[in-house]
Every structure is written in C-alpha cells, then in structure tokens.
Amino acid sequence: MDLGKRFSRLTGADFIRMVFTAARYLHDNVNRVNALNVFPVPDGDTGTNMNLTMTSGVEELRKKQTDHIGHAAETLSKGLLMGARGNSGVILSQLFRGFAKSVQSCEEINAQQFAAALQQGVDTAYKAVVKPVEGTILTVAKEAAKHAIQQARRTSDVTELMEETFAAGNQSLARTPDLLPVLKQVGVVDAGGQGLMFIYEGFLAALSGKAVEAASSHAFTGSAAAHGEAAVPHASSGRSAQAQMSAEDIEFGYCTEFMVKLVPGKHKGAAFEETAFRTALSKFGDSLLVVADDELVKIHIHAEYPGEVMNYAMQYGDLTKIKIENMREQHSHIVTHDDEAYAHAWNGGLEQSSQIQGMTGASAATPVKDALKPNGMVAVAIGEGISKIFSSLGVDEIISGGQTMNPSTEDIVKAVRNVGAKRVYVLPNNSNIVLAAEQAKELVDDKELIVIPSKTIPQGIAAALSFQAAAEEEAVNTEAMNRVVRQVKSGQVTNAVRDTSIDGVDIKEGDFLGIMDGKIVASCPEIGETCRKLLDCMLAEGGDLVTVLSGSDAAEEETDALEAYLTGAYPDTEVEVHQGGQPVYAYLFGVE
C-alpha cells in the first residue's frame, strides 16, 4: 500500500481527523456488521451499538475542537463513555478511555506513544469485562496493540505503524474462529472485531491522505479484502461469543468485591504499598482490580476461595462493602439476539436522530422529590404491555429499549438521577445492556446504583416482584433479586432470517425459532409447533409458573390456543398470559 503522507508526530487536529474518518467508515458499514450474527434472528445489533457509541464521541469532539491530542482524546473518551450502548459499545469506549489516559498530558505524540496508548486501551478494556473471552473484539484489539508496540521499535512513522497495526488486527480477526467453536461452526469471525477494523481502516485512510469514499460503495473495502485476503463472512459479537461459555469454564468461581479501610501500622507496622498488595492478591485468582488512596482500598477479584483473599487484606485494615457472588450459579447463556438496528441520520457529519435522543421514556421527566425514599428501581423495557407490568410492580423509571434499541450509558444515568431514592436498582433485562448499566455506576455519585444482571424480560419481572421498597440494607434486595433472576428460565420466539444449522438444528429462512436461555431448541414453519416444543423444553424439569408475553405480531387465536395447550399438558402449573406488545419476538416465555 502506498502510505502517502508521513507523520512523525500526531496533534489533536490529526487525531480528530482520524476519528471522524473512522466514524464514517463504521457508519457506512453498520448494516454489514449488524447482519453478521451467529444466530439467524432479525436483531443483529453490534454495528448499531458501536456506531451509536462512536457517534456520541464524535459529537463531543465537534463541540470541543483542539490541537492538544491529550485534550482531544479525553473529549472523545467522555463522549464514548456517555453514549456507550451494548457490550460492544462499552468495550469500544473502554479502549479509548485507556488511550486517553495514556496521552492525557501530551500536546503531541510520536509513534511509540501512539502504540503505548493502544496498549493501555486494551488493558483498560480487559479490566471492564468480568470474564474476558478470547476470540472477540478484545482479542483483536490486544493482538493489534501488541504488534504496534513491536513495530514502534522499528519505525518512527505513525502512518506506517497504523498500516502494520491494521494488518495485524485483520490477521487476528481471521483467527477468531479458532478460539471460539461457535464461530467456526457457523463459518464466521467476530463482528465486534470487524467493527474495530473498520475504525482502524478509517484511521489509516486519514493518515495516508487518501480520499475517503463511503465504505459501503465497495464490494468489501474493509479488513481482509483491503489486503488481498479472502473476504469471509463476519458475524457474532463479543457478547455472542461469551454466550458459548459454560459454568465449567469458570476457573475462579466467586466474584469478590470489598473495601479495606486502611489502619496505619496494622500490618506488622509496615505501610500499605499498592503494587506489592496487588501482586500478593494476584495469586488468589484473576480479573483482579485494586484501586487505592490514602484511606481506602477497593478490591475486585475472581477467586475460588474468597476467604483467603479477605484474610490477607485484613492485615492492612478493616473490611467493608463486602459482596461475593457465585458466578457458576449466576451463569446462563447470554442471549445473542437482542436488538434490531434502527435508523439515524448523517447530514454533513454524524448527528444523532431525535429518536435516539428521545430513547429514555416519558417517565424520565418525573421530578426528583426532596425527601428521598430508601430504594427505587429503573427498568429497560419495550412494548406498552411490558412497560405497564413494570410500572405496576413499582418500577420508578422505564427506559424505552431492549429488543429494538439499546439505551446508552447516559440514558441509564439520566433515569437513575430522576428516581427520588437514595439507592436505585437497575434492571437491564437484556444481556447486551448489562455492561452499559455497570458503566453507569461510575457516573452517578449522588446515590447508590445497584445493577441486577437480568438478561431477559421474564428475569426482570421476577426480580421486580421480589423487590422490597422499604429495605434499609442493600443486601436484602440484591440477594433476593439476584436469586430469582438465576431461577428463571427464559424463552423467545422469532423468525429466522436465513438458512443455517446451529447445534444440530437445521434452520430455514422464515421458520419460527424457539430459543431457550440463548440456545436454539426448535425451528418449525408453524409458530404453534415452535411454541409447544420450546415450552416442553423449558418445562422438562418442571415449573410452578409459566408467564406468556405476547408480542405486537402475535395473533389472539394463537395465544388462546397456546394457553389451552399449557393448561391441558401441564395442569399443575400456573399460567399467566399478558399482552406484552414487544416487537421482533412474537412470544416471550418465563418459567419459574
């Protein structure tokens, strides 16, 4: 490739041009990335989430143009953080958050500093994911950054460095099926990684000074094709890949979080030293994060024996804010089919549409009362009937989103701030919104935000039912809501958008798919047959209650027939039928 322009240093203006160009490349390929989903359901959304996240970052940069690269990167990071949607968007925001921290004091950067910033972005993103899964966008970013570090020792030209980084990222992307069997089974690579490669392709185009054409005008301009490699279908997002993990894959089973109030001199008179402390804890597990100041130390670790971790930490002070969760019990397949992309505008630049800006429901306008109650709830839902159910269960704020759109971190923050409560429990009700909700914690400092990791609407309803509004202790609701979430089996019925075969199930375009906890268990031409097969699977081990939520496209007679089947085939099981009104999925089922 003719690299064109040469850069020995990057200014803020250079970086902004790179970001704008990258956003254009990603924007022009949204539908490509969305369509590349392991499951053949009509709601692939990785491209939409990454695009909306990038759009938010670009909008911030448009407001604060600067020639100081540290300030520009910080502005981008803030915009990405506030606009992050879905797992892929959150991971993207973390990649650039670490990048910004690396260059925050720099007016300009050279090739070595650019490579180091990419690496710090990877480090930050890995820390943000509870159990990083290789073969996803994380792997692609990691291997690209590693190659960048190596190449920065050989070249001082940033354009040449970006060329090498882009090539290494594409090679890593091509290897993702070797790391995740589900990708190889369907014959695809990771969609989140592909989205990142569109961004890096935009970086390279801006640096080389080449005319940037709309990427969608090419047969396949991005990634492998740009380097003469075979253009393979790219599907699945990082969240889809994580759904293939089983409980047995979790080596360290307890997610352990606590704080230490430091007591000077308690540990044999020696002062606390963060690096040594972190090194000592690392032998107890993985996903370790230690953040310390002069008085407090916050610890997050995945450990097999949490008591050993806390016993060690107690040498330095008193423990508080202890939270231990059994990840093997919590684990369920992450639903890989969340939300169909929706349209938004690009008029002479990236602009979010009024639909995006208005994602938070009308209830978000509720004023905060002066006298705060102990606890409140926020839930993500779509469909008039489902929203009414959550409201009837005491949910204070309903964020419009889920099956057809993912709310951003900022949408969640706004909803939480509108709740007149000291402590707010957030129900994402979608596997692709959990990370954005977790990220919102960092942006709410005037009240306590607790994320209940509900990944489906039935899980969220069950959690809301167990909520105790007057509970003073945070653990009362947290433990009860998490417990019922783990006990709910979730099912969905939707249409297949292409022919394929997954887990031994042959699927034809137009079939009705029955999906139980993220796994396709039925594919039939007739919706009633699919529903019956799915429910039989869900009730194979029994169940006291079946909840049926009919979608906007569900026929009344079909719903009546389904209720009759359940009462006849499972007379000892209580059946509740509600009009959910949700799009995309004709039926949502919950079994408890």
Side-chain angles (χ1 to χ4, degrees), residues 61-79:
L61 278 177
R62 289 192 185 281
K63 297 174 187 175
K64 299 179 180 179
Q65 303 264 346
T66 175
D67 204 39
H68 188 292
I69 195 167
H71 297 165
E74 182 180 7
T75 298
L76 174 67
S77 174
K78 177 183 177 182

Side-chain angles (χ1 to χ4, degrees), residues 496 505-508 511-514 520-525 530 533:
V505 179
D506 291 327
I507 300 165
K508 301 296 182 184
D511 275 1
F512 290 94
L513 301 179
I520 297 176
V521 297
S523 177
C524 310
T530 297
K533 287 185 176 181

Side-chain angles (χ1 to χ4, degrees), residues 262-529:
L262 294 175
V263 177
K266 184 175 182 180
H267 181 54
K268 301 176 183 178
F272 173 83
E273 204 283 313
E274 183 177 346
T275 301
F277 183 80
R278 182 184 291 107
T279 300
L281 287 191
S282 65
K283 67 182 180 181
F284 295 115
D286 62 11
S287 297
L288 173 64
L289 176 62
V290 175
V291 179
D293 60 19
D294 293 337
E295 298 178 353
L296 289 172
V297 185
K298 182 174 182 179
I299 297 98
H300 171 282
I301 187 173
H302 297 167
E304 191 63 15
Y305 302 101
E308 293 182 358
V309 181
M310 290 186 285
N311 284 340
Y312 181 84
M314 285 179 67
Q315 299 177 84
Y316 293 93
D318 301 324
L319 305 189
T320 184
K321 302 288 185 181
I322 300 171
K323 180 180 178 182
I324 302 174
E325 295 182 346
N326 187 325
M327 295 189 295
R328 295 189 183 97
E329 286 186 1
Q330 282 189 319
H331 180 84
S332 62
H333 288 296
I334 296 177
V335 180
T336 61
H337 35 282
D338 294 302
D339 309 302
E340 185 176 276
Y342 56 95
H344 58 91
W346 183 309
N347 296 315
L350 291 168
E351 297 180 2
Q352 292 178 316
S353 69
S354 59
Q355 181 183 17
I356 299 169
Q357 294 170 348
M359 285 181 69
T360 303
S363 61
T366 306
V368 179
K369 298 179 181 179
D370 292 334
L372 298 180
K373 58 185 180 180
N375 302 289
M377 281 192 290
V378 168
V380 180
I382 194 165
E384 182 178 356
I386 292 174
S387 296
K388 286 182 178 179
I389 291 172
F390 278 114
S391 294
S392 71
L393 295 175
V395 173
D396 300 274
E397 295 284 320
I398 308 294
I399 303 175
S400 179
Q403 302 294 11
T404 57
M405 64 183 80
N406 287 166
S408 69
T409 300
E410 185 174 16
D411 292 324
I412 296 170
V413 169
K414 287 180 179 178
V416 169
R417 286 176 174 163
N418 282 335
V419 177
K422 300 175 184 177
R423 182 186 301 119
V424 180
Y425 294 83
V426 176
L427 300 170
N429 301 331
N430 186 299
S431 65
N432 206 31
I433 302 174
V434 174
L435 269 182
E438 290 285 354
Q439 190 162 264
K441 286 182 180 180
E442 303 178 21
L443 304 172
V444 178
D445 53 11
D446 57 343
K447 59 185 66 179
E448 188 177 7
L449 192 162
I450 308 296
V451 178
I452 303 299
S454 55
K455 297 173 182 176
T456 66
I457 292 295
Q459 286 182 351
I461 291 174
L465 277 167
S466 68
F467 178 74
Q468 299 180 42
E472 290 294 335
E473 295 295 325
E474 173 263 327
V476 172
N477 278 316
T478 300
E479 292 175 3
M481 296 169 85
N482 278 323
R483 182 171 59 252
V484 297
V485 162
R486 295 192 293 268
Q487 294 171 348
V488 175
K489 293 180 181 178
S490 301
Q492 299 162 309
V493 176
T494 189
N495 290 102
V497 296
R498 67 173 184 271
D499 293 350
T500 189
S501 177
I502 297 179
D503 294 329
V505 179
D506 291 327
I507 300 165
K508 301 296 182 184
E509 182 179 350
D511 275 1
F512 290 94
L513 301 179
I515 306 165
M516 183 176 79
D517 291 331
K519 182 179 177 65
I520 297 176
V521 297
S523 177
C524 310
E526 197 266 319
I527 189 171
E529 182 181 2

